[in-house]
Each structure stands twice: as C-alpha cells, then as structure tokens.
Amino acid sequence: MTDVDVNGNSGMSEMNEMNGNSGQLNGKATGFGKVIKPGATIGILGGGQLGRMLTLAGRNMGYRFVTLDPTEDSPCGQVADEQIVAGYDHVISARKLAEQAEVITYEFENVDAQVTELLMKEAYVPQGSQLLYTTQHRIREKKAIEAAGAPVAPYEEITSAAQLREVVERFGTPCVLKTATGGYDGKGQWVIRSLDETQEAFDTLIKSGAELVLEQFIHFDKELSVIAARSPGGEVKAFPAAENIHVNNILHLSIVPARIPASVQKEAEELAVRIASSMGVIGLLAVELFLTPDGQLYVNELAPRPHNSGHYTMESCRTSQFEQHIRAICNLPLGSTELMTPVVMVNLLGQHVDPLLELLDQPGFEDEELGVSAKIHLYGKHEAKHNRKMGHVNLLASDTARALTWIERSAIWESK
C-alpha cells in the first residue's frame, strides 16, 4: 500500500475557484476546503450499485443520503433517505439535489454537462468538473496520464478510414479502435486483426458520432488495477493492486494480493498516486493497467469513482474503497488501506444468481476444508438479465489459491 501525506494545497486553488472558497461548515474552517462532518447529507448523482455501497458505508459513519436517478426504487434509492426520481439531465431535479445536500458526489462518469455546470454553481462538488471533462474523453484522458509521467500504449486520433488504414499499417495488428466517449464492458470498440477490417470498423464506430482513437495492442501478461484516494488537503493513499481477469470483456475476478512481484506491486501503486496527485483528484481514482511479459506497466483507463475491481476492499482491508471515498470528499483523514486477508472478488452476473441462491442452503457453502469465508453482496436490482452485474462475492481465505478452488468447486460460474 502506498501512502502519501502532502501538506501543501496542490490542486486546491482551482477547486476553491469552482466551488467557492467558504471553507467552513459546522463552525470549523480549513484552508483546504470544507470539512463535512457526520450528520450532514450527501447527495449522489446516480442510483446504481456503486451509490448503494457508498450509502451503506456512509450510513455507518452517521451521514444521511439523497440520490438522483431515473429508475424508481433504484439500488441506491433502496438504502438512501430519499430518492429523487428524474433523468440526469433534469435541471429542476438537479437543483433540488443541490438544495438538500451539503456535498455532492457521482457514481458514474457520464454526467450531463448542463447539470454538472449547475451543480458546480449551486452546490459543493469537491470532485469538480475538470476531472469529469478529462475522463469522459479517452484522448484527453491519455494526455493527462502522459502529463503525469505515466506510460500509455501508443495511440492516434482517427478522422478517416484512409488514415485508419495508414495508422494500422504503422502500428501493426492487432490494434483497437475505440470511440473517444461512451462505451464500457467492451462496447464502443473494435479489435482490428487485419487491414481488411479497417473500413468496416471505421464505418461502424463513426456512426456513434463520437471522435475515434486507435490504440496499439499491448500484449499483456496480466491486467491490474489500483484504487487511489486523495483528499482536498493533498493526502493520498493507494489500495493494494488487484489482478483482474475478464470474461467477454466483463470483469470476472479480482485477485488480491495480485500474483506479481513486489516491485511491480509497488510501481503500480506509485503510478496511481502520481496520476491522482497530478490531476488534483478529490475522492477515488481507479487506474487500470496492463503488465507485459517483460515487466512493463502501461496505463489503460481511469475511472474517477469507486470501481468494480475495488469491491474486494469491503471485507479484506481496514478501510473499504467506499468509506475512503466518503472520507475524501468530506475532507476527513483517509483511512488505512492495509490488506488484512487475501481475497478473491468474483462478480455475480444475471445467470449466476440462481445457482448462488441454490448453493446457499447446502452444507458445503462455506468450505471448512478450504477455510474460505464467502461474503455475499447483492445489489437489489429487480431483473436478473444475462451478463448484467447483479452482485459480487468476496472470498476470504488464507491464500488466494484456496478462494479460486472454492470458485471452481461451487460450479456457480460455469455459465460465463
């Protein structure tokens, strides 16, 4: 784990300029933004599972919550004090959220620009708008990563099919064409494996209306991620790196400790801290990385929020990623990121829920032979659709091999 304690005010002049430099709440003034004490109301833009888990963590600390989401009885709405049912572009509802909350955060990146602007003017949004502006756009994001001194795969903005063909020839195949905005879990991208695919790939993705970027394919040995948190005062802490395994472009497993050398673990955490500090992040930043067979790390993507690959922290670390995010945006001291036990987080998709529930009443669910403790988290979604994230299980064990054996024995994930 990497802890950085900085007593300067890096990144704060911009935040104070955007949010108003009052710096006072509950009678306490600070030069590094507001301190939002327990008992205050936190507003969450978005009502999905990340908002739900933020709310559950914050409730334990004594905060109240209001969420804005268009889906009635949303996962977050089920546990918040109030849900405002409205679209994310509904200005009147956004203003209502601003009136009720002393601090506002978001659980996803694709926030409406007009609503973001309104909230910045009428509410306290410590994460600011610049971070969203950067991470909503892959090209801007890559430039910010490079500015932090972190490596990314070679890339180029693409404006025509002819240019795409020329760059593919230069990069070599395979390479990946992506939309600069939108897209998740493999959507909005095309792996180009031959020059013959360039025209079709360009014609398909350009229909989105988004700018396009081509990335050279990185032949990686492992996919990793690190969750870093930064407070308004410049305190930065990183959680241990997770080793991630994807199936059909959807995260399947996060293994912690990652099966990598200690030097690589340290480098990954230091990269996350460097990027979070360089970008003036407030709250959480998830940094996804590729590790090549020769030990090189490349940053793939960023997410300015709690992240699926950080769910393992809920039972295995002294502080969960969700509590840490609350601490950061409320300007409280950051908690310890120490790993207390090896863990494997496994996602529950729609097709896995019934097999899990059937296994629950069987005597071997918590395998005494393996010494595995299974912690189940279901998100309260109303319909279990195929490949839709419905929950996750954190498997705590004396070593990750035992947890992986439990997953194999359970047979829950045979239908991937």
PDB file of all heavy atoms in Angstrom, residues 354-387:
ATOM      1  N   ASP A 354     -29.238 -17.424  -9.568  1.00  0.00           N
ATOM      2  CA  ASP A 354     -29.978 -18.616  -9.134  1.00  0.00           C
ATOM      3  C   ASP A 354     -29.050 -19.731  -8.659  1.00  0.00           C
ATOM      4  O   ASP A 354     -29.313 -20.340  -7.598  1.00  0.00           O
ATOM      5  CB  ASP A 354     -30.891 -19.119 -10.256  1.00  0.00           C
ATOM      6  CG  ASP A 354     -32.134 -18.249 -10.422  1.00  0.00           C
ATOM      7  OD1 ASP A 354     -32.449 -17.472  -9.489  1.00  0.00           O
ATOM      8  OD2 ASP A 354     -32.788 -18.329 -11.483  1.00  0.00           O
ATOM      9  N   PRO A 355     -27.956 -20.047  -9.379  1.00  0.00           N
ATOM     10  CA  PRO A 355     -27.026 -21.057  -8.852  1.00  0.00           C
ATOM     11  C   PRO A 355     -26.455 -20.692  -7.487  1.00  0.00           C
ATOM     12  O   PRO A 355     -26.279 -21.573  -6.629  1.00  0.00           O
ATOM     13  CB  PRO A 355     -25.921 -21.110  -9.917  1.00  0.00           C
ATOM     14  CG  PRO A 355     -26.599 -20.696 -11.183  1.00  0.00           C
ATOM     15  CD  PRO A 355     -27.595 -19.655 -10.759  1.00  0.00           C
ATOM     16  N   LEU A 356     -26.190 -19.412  -7.244  1.00  0.00           N
ATOM     17  CA  LEU A 356     -25.689 -18.995  -5.932  1.00  0.00           C
ATOM     18  C   LEU A 356     -26.745 -19.225  -4.861  1.00  0.00           C
ATOM     19  O   LEU A 356     -26.452 -19.781  -3.785  1.00  0.00           O
ATOM     20  CB  LEU A 356     -25.296 -17.521  -5.954  1.00  0.00           C
ATOM     21  CG  LEU A 356     -24.918 -16.950  -4.582  1.00  0.00           C
ATOM     22  CD1 LEU A 356     -23.537 -17.422  -4.160  1.00  0.00           C
ATOM     23  CD2 LEU A 356     -24.987 -15.434  -4.576  1.00  0.00           C
ATOM     24  N   LEU A 357     -27.981 -18.803  -5.130  1.00  0.00           N
ATOM     25  CA  LEU A 357     -29.045 -18.955  -4.140  1.00  0.00           C
ATOM     26  C   LEU A 357     -29.315 -20.427  -3.845  1.00  0.00           C
ATOM     27  O   LEU A 357     -29.639 -20.793  -2.707  1.00  0.00           O
ATOM     28  CB  LEU A 357     -30.314 -18.258  -4.639  1.00  0.00           C
ATOM     29  CG  LEU A 357     -30.206 -16.730  -4.816  1.00  0.00           C
ATOM     30  CD1 LEU A 357     -31.512 -16.161  -5.343  1.00  0.00           C
ATOM     31  CD2 LEU A 357     -29.813 -16.054  -3.508  1.00  0.00           C
ATOM     32  N   GLU A 358     -29.196 -21.290  -4.858  1.00  0.00           N
ATOM     33  CA  GLU A 358     -29.390 -22.727  -4.648  1.00  0.00           C
ATOM     34  C   GLU A 358     -28.282 -23.305  -3.774  1.00  0.00           C
ATOM     35  O   GLU A 358     -28.501 -24.220  -2.976  1.00  0.00           O
ATOM     36  CB  GLU A 358     -29.421 -23.447  -5.990  1.00  0.00           C
ATOM     37  CG  GLU A 358     -30.675 -23.151  -6.805  1.00  0.00           C
ATOM     38  CD  GLU A 358     -30.603 -23.706  -8.221  1.00  0.00           C
ATOM     39  OE1 GLU A 358     -29.630 -24.450  -8.513  1.00  0.00           O
ATOM     40  OE2 GLU A 358     -31.488 -23.402  -9.033  1.00  0.00           O
ATOM     41  N   LEU A 359     -27.070 -22.757  -3.911  1.00  0.00           N
ATOM     42  CA  LEU A 359     -25.933 -23.261  -3.145  1.00  0.00           C
ATOM     43  C   LEU A 359     -25.971 -22.804  -1.688  1.00  0.00           C
ATOM     44  O   LEU A 359     -25.388 -23.454  -0.807  1.00  0.00           O
ATOM     45  CB  LEU A 359     -24.625 -22.792  -3.794  1.00  0.00           C
ATOM     46  CG  LEU A 359     -23.321 -23.387  -3.260  1.00  0.00           C
ATOM     47  CD1 LEU A 359     -23.252 -24.879  -3.549  1.00  0.00           C
ATOM     48  CD2 LEU A 359     -22.124 -22.670  -3.880  1.00  0.00           C
ATOM     49  N   LEU A 360     -26.670 -21.695  -1.420  1.00  0.00           N
ATOM     50  CA  LEU A 360     -26.654 -21.091  -0.082  1.00  0.00           C
ATOM     51  C   LEU A 360     -27.107 -22.045   1.017  1.00  0.00           C
ATOM     52  O   LEU A 360     -26.583 -22.002   2.130  1.00  0.00           O
ATOM     53  CB  LEU A 360     -27.546 -19.849  -0.059  1.00  0.00           C
ATOM     54  CG  LEU A 360     -26.888 -18.517  -0.382  1.00  0.00           C
ATOM     55  CD1 LEU A 360     -27.922 -17.404  -0.392  1.00  0.00           C
ATOM     56  CD2 LEU A 360     -25.793 -18.199   0.637  1.00  0.00           C
ATOM     57  N   ASP A 361     -28.105 -22.906   0.721  1.00  0.00           N
ATOM     58  CA  ASP A 361     -28.634 -23.767   1.783  1.00  0.00           C
ATOM     59  C   ASP A 361     -27.956 -25.134   1.812  1.00  0.00           C
ATOM     60  O   ASP A 361     -28.415 -26.048   2.497  1.00  0.00           O
ATOM     61  CB  ASP A 361     -30.151 -23.935   1.628  1.00  0.00           C
ATOM     62  CG  ASP A 361     -30.552 -24.558   0.292  1.00  0.00           C
ATOM     63  OD1 ASP A 361     -29.653 -24.826  -0.525  1.00  0.00           O
ATOM     64  OD2 ASP A 361     -31.753 -24.780   0.081  1.00  0.00           O
ATOM     65  N   GLN A 362     -26.861 -25.275   1.090  1.00  0.00           N
ATOM     66  CA  GLN A 362     -26.122 -26.528   1.115  1.00  0.00           C
ATOM     67  C   GLN A 362     -25.020 -26.462   2.166  1.00  0.00           C
ATOM     68  O   GLN A 362     -24.406 -25.407   2.371  1.00  0.00           O
ATOM     69  CB  GLN A 362     -25.534 -26.832  -0.268  1.00  0.00           C
ATOM     70  CG  GLN A 362     -26.602 -27.029  -1.341  1.00  0.00           C
ATOM     71  CD  GLN A 362     -26.003 -27.377  -2.694  1.00  0.00           C
ATOM     72  OE1 GLN A 362     -24.871 -27.825  -2.777  1.00  0.00           O
ATOM     73  NE2 GLN A 362     -26.777 -27.155  -3.753  1.00  0.00           N
ATOM     74  N   PRO A 363     -24.756 -27.579   2.847  1.00  0.00           N
ATOM     75  CA  PRO A 363     -23.817 -27.555   3.978  1.00  0.00           C
ATOM     76  C   PRO A 363     -22.390 -27.165   3.598  1.00  0.00           C
ATOM     77  O   PRO A 363     -21.643 -26.671   4.437  1.00  0.00           O
ATOM     78  CB  PRO A 363     -23.871 -28.998   4.508  1.00  0.00           C
ATOM     79  CG  PRO A 363     -24.424 -29.813   3.378  1.00  0.00           C
ATOM     80  CD  PRO A 363     -25.357 -28.904   2.636  1.00  0.00           C
ATOM     81  N   GLY A 364     -22.004 -27.349   2.366  1.00  0.00           N
ATOM     82  CA  GLY A 364     -20.626 -27.058   1.972  1.00  0.00           C
ATOM     83  C   GLY A 364     -20.406 -25.659   1.452  1.00  0.00           C
ATOM     84  O   GLY A 364     -19.355 -25.380   0.861  1.00  0.00           O
ATOM     85  N   PHE A 365     -21.394 -24.743   1.674  1.00  0.00           N
ATOM     86  CA  PHE A 365     -21.248 -23.400   1.093  1.00  0.00           C
ATOM     87  C   PHE A 365     -19.990 -22.710   1.603  1.00  0.00           C
ATOM     88  O   PHE A 365     -19.192 -22.198   0.835  1.00  0.00           O
ATOM     89  CB  PHE A 365     -22.483 -22.552   1.408  1.00  0.00           C
ATOM     90  CG  PHE A 365     -22.396 -21.156   0.856  1.00  0.00           C
ATOM     91  CD1 PHE A 365     -22.499 -20.944  -0.511  1.00  0.00           C
ATOM     92  CD2 PHE A 365     -22.180 -20.067   1.682  1.00  0.00           C
ATOM     93  CE1 PHE A 365     -22.404 -19.668  -1.043  1.00  0.00           C
ATOM     94  CE2 PHE A 365     -22.081 -18.788   1.159  1.00  0.00           C
ATOM     95  CZ  PHE A 365     -22.189 -18.593  -0.212  1.00  0.00           C
ATOM     96  N   GLU A 366     -19.819 -22.694   2.922  1.00  0.00           N
ATOM     97  CA  GLU A 366     -18.564 -22.161   3.474  1.00  0.00           C
ATOM     98  C   GLU A 366     -17.667 -23.369   3.738  1.00  0.00           C
ATOM     99  O   GLU A 366     -17.811 -24.069   4.734  1.00  0.00           O
ATOM    100  CB  GLU A 366     -18.819 -21.339   4.724  1.00  0.00           C
ATOM    101  CG  GLU A 366     -19.571 -20.057   4.439  1.00  0.00           C
ATOM    102  CD  GLU A 366     -18.929 -18.854   5.125  1.00  0.00           C
ATOM    103  OE1 GLU A 366     -18.132 -19.048   6.035  1.00  0.00           O
ATOM    104  OE2 GLU A 366     -19.249 -17.713   4.713  1.00  0.00           O
ATOM    105  N   ASP A 367     -16.767 -23.617   2.819  1.00  0.00           N
ATOM    106  CA  ASP A 367     -15.967 -24.834   2.773  1.00  0.00           C
ATOM    107  C   ASP A 367     -14.953 -24.853   3.930  1.00  0.00           C
ATOM    108  O   ASP A 367     -13.978 -24.108   3.929  1.00  0.00           O
ATOM    109  CB  ASP A 367     -15.243 -24.906   1.419  1.00  0.00           C
ATOM    110  CG  ASP A 367     -14.724 -26.298   1.126  1.00  0.00           C
ATOM    111  OD1 ASP A 367     -14.080 -26.874   2.018  1.00  0.00           O
ATOM    112  OD2 ASP A 367     -14.951 -26.788   0.012  1.00  0.00           O
ATOM    113  N   GLU A 368     -15.202 -25.740   4.916  1.00  0.00           N
ATOM    114  CA  GLU A 368     -14.300 -25.817   6.065  1.00  0.00           C
ATOM    115  C   GLU A 368     -12.937 -26.379   5.663  1.00  0.00           C
ATOM    116  O   GLU A 368     -11.914 -25.988   6.225  1.00  0.00           O
ATOM    117  CB  GLU A 368     -14.931 -26.672   7.164  1.00  0.00           C
ATOM    118  CG  GLU A 368     -16.164 -26.035   7.787  1.00  0.00           C
ATOM    119  CD  GLU A 368     -16.714 -26.846   8.936  1.00  0.00           C
ATOM    120  OE1 GLU A 368     -16.084 -27.864   9.292  1.00  0.00           O
ATOM    121  OE2 GLU A 368     -17.780 -26.471   9.466  1.00  0.00           O
ATOM    122  N   GLU A 369     -12.937 -27.278   4.710  1.00  0.00           N
ATOM    123  CA  GLU A 369     -11.668 -27.865   4.260  1.00  0.00           C
ATOM    124  C   GLU A 369     -10.755 -26.789   3.686  1.00  0.00           C
ATOM    125  O   GLU A 369      -9.558 -26.739   3.976  1.00  0.00           O
ATOM    126  CB  GLU A 369     -11.935 -28.937   3.201  1.00  0.00           C
ATOM    127  CG  GLU A 369     -10.655 -29.520   2.610  1.00  0.00           C
ATOM    128  CD  GLU A 369     -10.914 -30.345   1.367  1.00  0.00           C
ATOM    129  OE1 GLU A 369     -12.091 -30.670   1.094  1.00  0.00           O
ATOM    130  OE2 GLU A 369      -9.940 -30.643   0.659  1.00  0.00           O
ATOM    131  N   LEU A 370     -11.329 -25.892   2.871  1.00  0.00           N
ATOM    132  CA  LEU A 370     -10.540 -24.829   2.256  1.00  0.00           C
ATOM    133  C   LEU A 370     -10.354 -23.641   3.188  1.00  0.00           C
ATOM    134  O   LEU A 370      -9.440 -22.831   2.982  1.00  0.00           O
ATOM    135  CB  LEU A 370     -11.214 -24.363   0.961  1.00  0.00           C
ATOM    136  CG  LEU A 370     -11.226 -25.349  -0.204  1.00  0.00           C
ATOM    137  CD1 LEU A 370     -12.086 -24.810  -1.339  1.00  0.00           C
ATOM    138  CD2 LEU A 370      -9.799 -25.605  -0.692  1.00  0.00           C
ATOM    139  N   GLY A 371     -11.230 -23.527   4.187  1.00  0.00           N
ATOM    140  CA  GLY A 371     -11.129 -22.382   5.090  1.00  0.00           C
ATOM    141  C   GLY A 371     -11.504 -21.079   4.422  1.00  0.00           C
ATOM    142  O   GLY A 371     -10.912 -20.032   4.695  1.00  0.00           O
ATOM    143  N   VAL A 372     -12.497 -21.137   3.545  1.00  0.00           N
ATOM    144  CA  VAL A 372     -12.926 -19.956   2.799  1.00  0.00           C
ATOM    145  C   VAL A 372     -14.189 -19.378   3.426  1.00  0.00           C
ATOM    146  O   VAL A 372     -15.138 -20.109   3.721  1.00  0.00           O
ATOM    147  CB  VAL A 372     -13.184 -20.302   1.310  1.00  0.00           C
ATOM    148  CG1 VAL A 372     -13.783 -19.114   0.572  1.00  0.00           C
ATOM    149  CG2 VAL A 372     -11.883 -20.725   0.637  1.00  0.00           C
ATOM    150  N   SER A 373     -14.199 -18.062   3.598  1.00  0.00           N
ATOM    151  CA  SER A 373     -15.389 -17.356   4.085  1.00  0.00           C
ATOM    152  C   SER A 373     -15.953 -16.542   2.931  1.00  0.00           C
ATOM    153  O   SER A 373     -15.245 -15.715   2.341  1.00  0.00           O
ATOM    154  CB  SER A 373     -15.027 -16.454   5.257  1.00  0.00           C
ATOM    155  OG  SER A 373     -16.166 -15.761   5.716  1.00  0.00           O
ATOM    156  N   ALA A 374     -17.222 -16.784   2.596  1.00  0.00           N
ATOM    157  CA  ALA A 374     -17.858 -16.131   1.450  1.00  0.00           C
ATOM    158  C   ALA A 374     -18.767 -14.996   1.913  1.00  0.00           C
ATOM    159  O   ALA A 374     -19.714 -15.228   2.682  1.00  0.00           O
ATOM    160  CB  ALA A 374     -18.658 -17.143   0.637  1.00  0.00           C
ATOM    161  N   LYS A 375     -18.488 -13.783   1.469  1.00  0.00           N
ATOM    162  CA  LYS A 375     -19.281 -12.612   1.811  1.00  0.00           C
ATOM    163  C   LYS A 375     -20.069 -12.168   0.577  1.00  0.00           C
ATOM    164  O   LYS A 375     -19.493 -11.740  -0.425  1.00  0.00           O
ATOM    165  CB  LYS A 375     -18.379 -11.472   2.296  1.00  0.00           C
ATOM    166  CG  LYS A 375     -17.472 -11.844   3.464  1.00  0.00           C
ATOM    167  CD  LYS A 375     -18.267 -12.221   4.708  1.00  0.00           C
ATOM    168  CE  LYS A 375     -17.335 -12.507   5.881  1.00  0.00           C
ATOM    169  NZ  LYS A 375     -18.086 -12.898   7.094  1.00  0.00           N
ATOM    170  N   ILE A 376     -21.393 -12.278   0.667  1.00  0.00           N
ATOM    171  CA  ILE A 376     -22.258 -12.035  -0.490  1.00  0.00           C
ATOM    172  C   ILE A 376     -22.779 -10.608  -0.472  1.00  0.00           C
ATOM    173  O   ILE A 376     -23.224 -10.098   0.555  1.00  0.00           O
ATOM    174  CB  ILE A 376     -23.448 -13.020  -0.486  1.00  0.00           C
ATOM    175  CG1 ILE A 376     -22.935 -14.463  -0.570  1.00  0.00           C
ATOM    176  CG2 ILE A 376     -24.404 -12.728  -1.638  1.00  0.00           C
ATOM    177  CD1 ILE A 376     -24.018 -15.498  -0.345  1.00  0.00           C
ATOM    178  N   HIS A 377     -22.751  -9.971  -1.642  1.00  0.00           N
ATOM    179  CA  HIS A 377     -23.309  -8.632  -1.809  1.00  0.00           C
ATOM    180  C   HIS A 377     -24.218  -8.655  -3.033  1.00  0.00           C
ATOM    181  O   HIS A 377     -23.753  -8.808  -4.166  1.00  0.00           O
ATOM    182  CB  HIS A 377     -22.195  -7.600  -2.019  1.00  0.00           C
ATOM    183  CG  HIS A 377     -21.252  -7.500  -0.866  1.00  0.00           C
ATOM    184  ND1 HIS A 377     -21.439  -6.624   0.181  1.00  0.00           N
ATOM    185  CD2 HIS A 377     -20.121  -8.197  -0.580  1.00  0.00           C
ATOM    186  CE1 HIS A 377     -20.457  -6.774   1.057  1.00  0.00           C
ATOM    187  NE2 HIS A 377     -19.643  -7.717   0.622  1.00  0.00           N
ATOM    188  N   LEU A 378     -25.531  -8.518  -2.812  1.00  0.00           N
ATOM    189  CA  LEU A 378     -26.494  -8.402  -3.906  1.00  0.00           C
ATOM    190  C   LEU A 378     -26.976  -6.969  -3.973  1.00  0.00           C
ATOM    191  O   LEU A 378     -27.169  -6.316  -2.944  1.00  0.00           O
ATOM    192  CB  LEU A 378     -27.658  -9.370  -3.707  1.00  0.00           C
ATOM    193  CG  LEU A 378     -27.297 -10.862  -3.830  1.00  0.00           C
ATOM    194  CD1 LEU A 378     -28.489 -11.736  -3.481  1.00  0.00           C
ATOM    195  CD2 LEU A 378     -26.789 -11.190  -5.227  1.00  0.00           C
ATOM    196  N   TYR A 379     -27.227  -6.469  -5.192  1.00  0.00           N
ATOM    197  CA  TYR A 379     -27.403  -5.034  -5.400  1.00  0.00           C
ATOM    198  C   TYR A 379     -28.850  -4.566  -5.403  1.00  0.00           C
ATOM    199  O   TYR A 379     -29.110  -3.371  -5.548  1.00  0.00           O
ATOM    200  CB  TYR A 379     -26.744  -4.627  -6.716  1.00  0.00           C
ATOM    201  CG  TYR A 379     -25.260  -4.919  -6.791  1.00  0.00           C
ATOM    202  CD1 TYR A 379     -24.655  -5.181  -8.022  1.00  0.00           C
ATOM    203  CD2 TYR A 379     -24.464  -4.943  -5.645  1.00  0.00           C
ATOM    204  CE1 TYR A 379     -23.295  -5.452  -8.100  1.00  0.00           C
ATOM    205  CE2 TYR A 379     -23.117  -5.212  -5.716  1.00  0.00           C
ATOM    206  CZ  TYR A 379     -22.527  -5.476  -6.951  1.00  0.00           C
ATOM    207  OH  TYR A 379     -21.190  -5.739  -7.030  1.00  0.00           O
ATOM    208  N   GLY A 380     -29.805  -5.470  -5.287  1.00  0.00           N
ATOM    209  CA  GLY A 380     -31.199  -5.042  -5.223  1.00  0.00           C
ATOM    210  C   GLY A 380     -31.798  -4.680  -6.574  1.00  0.00           C
ATOM    211  O   GLY A 380     -32.804  -3.965  -6.634  1.00  0.00           O
ATOM    212  N   LYS A 381     -31.201  -5.169  -7.656  1.00  0.00           N
ATOM    213  CA  LYS A 381     -31.771  -4.921  -8.980  1.00  0.00           C
ATOM    214  C   LYS A 381     -32.964  -5.836  -9.192  1.00  0.00           C
ATOM    215  O   LYS A 381     -32.986  -6.977  -8.729  1.00  0.00           O
ATOM    216  CB  LYS A 381     -30.710  -5.139 -10.061  1.00  0.00           C
ATOM    217  CG  LYS A 381     -29.553  -4.146  -9.973  1.00  0.00           C
ATOM    218  CD  LYS A 381     -28.535  -4.373 -11.087  1.00  0.00           C
ATOM    219  CE  LYS A 381     -27.399  -3.357 -10.981  1.00  0.00           C
ATOM    220  NZ  LYS A 381     -26.372  -3.557 -12.043  1.00  0.00           N
ATOM    221  N   HIS A 382     -33.952  -5.341  -9.904  1.00  0.00           N
ATOM    222  CA  HIS A 382     -35.230  -6.055  -9.994  1.00  0.00           C
ATOM    223  C   HIS A 382     -35.235  -7.186 -11.020  1.00  0.00           C
ATOM    224  O   HIS A 382     -36.014  -8.120 -10.894  1.00  0.00           O
ATOM    225  CB  HIS A 382     -36.348  -5.066 -10.326  1.00  0.00           C
ATOM    226  CG  HIS A 382     -36.550  -4.033  -9.265  1.00  0.00           C
ATOM    227  ND1 HIS A 382     -36.975  -4.342  -7.989  1.00  0.00           N
ATOM    228  CD2 HIS A 382     -36.358  -2.680  -9.266  1.00  0.00           C
ATOM    229  CE1 HIS A 382     -37.048  -3.239  -7.257  1.00  0.00           C
ATOM    230  NE2 HIS A 382     -36.663  -2.216  -8.004  1.00  0.00           N
ATOM    231  N   GLU A 383     -34.373  -7.119 -12.009  1.00  0.00           N
ATOM    232  CA  GLU A 383     -34.390  -8.132 -13.066  1.00  0.00           C
ATOM    233  C   GLU A 383     -32.984  -8.644 -13.306  1.00  0.00           C
ATOM    234  O   GLU A 383     -32.061  -7.864 -13.551  1.00  0.00           O
ATOM    235  CB  GLU A 383     -34.959  -7.538 -14.362  1.00  0.00           C
ATOM    236  CG  GLU A 383     -35.134  -8.550 -15.462  1.00  0.00           C
ATOM    237  CD  GLU A 383     -35.745  -7.932 -16.724  1.00  0.00           C
ATOM    238  OE1 GLU A 383     -36.023  -6.714 -16.724  1.00  0.00           O
ATOM    239  OE2 GLU A 383     -35.911  -8.669 -17.716  1.00  0.00           O
ATOM    240  N   ALA A 384     -32.841  -9.972 -13.234  1.00  0.00           N
ATOM    241  CA  ALA A 384     -31.530 -10.599 -13.430  1.00  0.00           C
ATOM    242  C   ALA A 384     -31.332 -10.914 -14.907  1.00  0.00           C
ATOM    243  O   ALA A 384     -31.685 -11.988 -15.382  1.00  0.00           O
ATOM    244  CB  ALA A 384     -31.420 -11.864 -12.591  1.00  0.00           C
ATOM    245  N   LYS A 385     -30.767  -9.975 -15.639  1.00  0.00           N
ATOM    246  CA  LYS A 385     -30.510 -10.171 -17.068  1.00  0.00           C
ATOM    247  C   LYS A 385     -29.158 -10.836 -17.284  1.00  0.00           C
ATOM    248  O   LYS A 385     -28.226 -10.664 -16.511  1.00  0.00           O
ATOM    249  CB  LYS A 385     -30.536  -8.819 -17.793  1.00  0.00           C
ATOM    250  CG  LYS A 385     -31.877  -8.128 -17.776  1.00  0.00           C
ATOM    251  CD  LYS A 385     -31.818  -6.808 -18.540  1.00  0.00           C
ATOM    252  CE  LYS A 385     -33.157  -6.103 -18.533  1.00  0.00           C
ATOM    253  NZ  LYS A 385     -33.110  -4.795 -19.250  1.00  0.00           N
ATOM    254  N   HIS A 386     -29.062 -11.575 -18.377  1.00  0.00           N
ATOM    255  CA  HIS A 386     -27.815 -12.249 -18.733  1.00  0.00           C
ATOM    256  C   HIS A 386     -26.697 -11.214 -18.881  1.00  0.00           C
ATOM    257  O   HIS A 386     -26.863 -10.185 -19.531  1.00  0.00           O
ATOM    258  CB  HIS A 386     -28.002 -13.021 -20.048  1.00  0.00           C
ATOM    259  CG  HIS A 386     -26.825 -13.870 -20.410  1.00  0.00           C
ATOM    260  ND1 HIS A 386     -26.648 -15.140 -19.902  1.00  0.00           N
ATOM    261  CD2 HIS A 386     -25.746 -13.631 -21.217  1.00  0.00           C
ATOM    262  CE1 HIS A 386     -25.534 -15.652 -20.380  1.00  0.00           C
ATOM    263  NE2 HIS A 386     -24.965 -14.758 -21.183  1.00  0.00           N
ATOM    264  N   ASN A 387     -25.565 -11.484 -18.247  1.00  0.00           N
ATOM    265  CA  ASN A 387     -24.365 -10.637 -18.287  1.00  0.00           C
ATOM    266  C   ASN A 387     -24.547  -9.278 -17.608  1.00  0.00           C
ATOM    267  O   ASN A 387     -23.692  -8.403 -17.741  1.00  0.00           O
ATOM    268  CB  ASN A 387     -23.857 -10.435 -19.716  1.00  0.00           C
ATOM    269  CG  ASN A 387     -23.091 -11.641 -20.228  1.00  0.00           C
ATOM    270  OD1 ASN A 387     -22.774 -12.559 -19.461  1.00  0.00           O
ATOM    271  ND2 ASN A 387     -22.786 -11.653 -21.504  1.00  0.00           N
TER     272      ASN A 387
END
